[in-house]
Amino acid sequence: MVAFKFETLDVWRRSVEFADAIFVVADSLPKRYQYSLADQLRRAALSIPTNIAEGTGRDGLKERRYFFRVAKGSVYEVVSLLIMSVRRGYVDDHTYGEHYKVANEIAAILTALARK
């Protein structure tokens, strides 16, 4: 079976794992935040691998870059939402630090891909 191009990208695989980890965080938030903060976290995290996949399916360089930049913006959105979760006491500093590190690595790779 031949893989789709995005499936060969390390950044896509890492972003899928990152999204899974963020879903765990979102699922652990208090019930009253499940339809606001948690839902936004899930959507932002899911947007990262989805936009990477869509970008690789585009023929034009300008379009590919656009989707890689959108994915990077979603990484930033996840980090911002995690910060709010830490401030509210729903995510501990260690968990935040681990996710922050991965987010930073994914954002750096997306920056490089958008510049290619």
Side-chain angles (χ1 to χ4, degrees):
M1 181 193 316
V2 177
F4 285 98
K5 185 175 179 181
F6 67 86
E7 293 177 288
T8 67
L9 295 176
D10 180 58
V11 70
W12 178 80
R13 288 190 298 274
R14 292 180 73 180
S15 68
V16 168
E17 291 171 9
F18 180 67
D20 280 340
I22 296 303
F23 268 60
V24 171
V25 170
D27 291 346
S28 73
L29 295 177
K31 186 175 181 177
R32 69 176 183 237
Y33 291 109
Q34 286 302 310
Y35 295 105
S36 56
L37 182 59
D39 186 52
Q40 188 68 24
L41 257 174
R42 287 184 200 98
R43 284 185 281 125
L46 188 58
S47 175
I48 302 165
T50 303
N51 278 290
I52 293 168
E54 187 164 356
T56 62
R58 299 299 175 138
D59 293 327
L61 179 60
K62 187 175 181 178
E63 285 182 296
R64 279 195 301 275
R65 287 179 173 162
Y66 169 79
F67 284 100
F68 294 150
R69 288 181 182 125
V70 170
K72 181 179 169 185
S74 294
V75 172
Y76 285 27
E77 184 178 359
V78 168
V79 171
S80 178
L81 292 164
L82 286 172
I83 290 168
M84 293 304 301
S85 299
V86 169
R87 291 176 62 104
R88 304 284 303 172
Y90 302 131
V91 174
D92 62 61
D93 289 334
H94 175 75
T95 301
Y96 169 75
E98 298 233 335
H99 294 316
Y100 186 93
K101 180 181 178 224
V102 174
N104 197 33
E105 292 167 357
I106 290 170
I109 295 167
L110 288 169
T111 297
L113 280 174
R115 287 185 180 155
K116 274 188 173 179

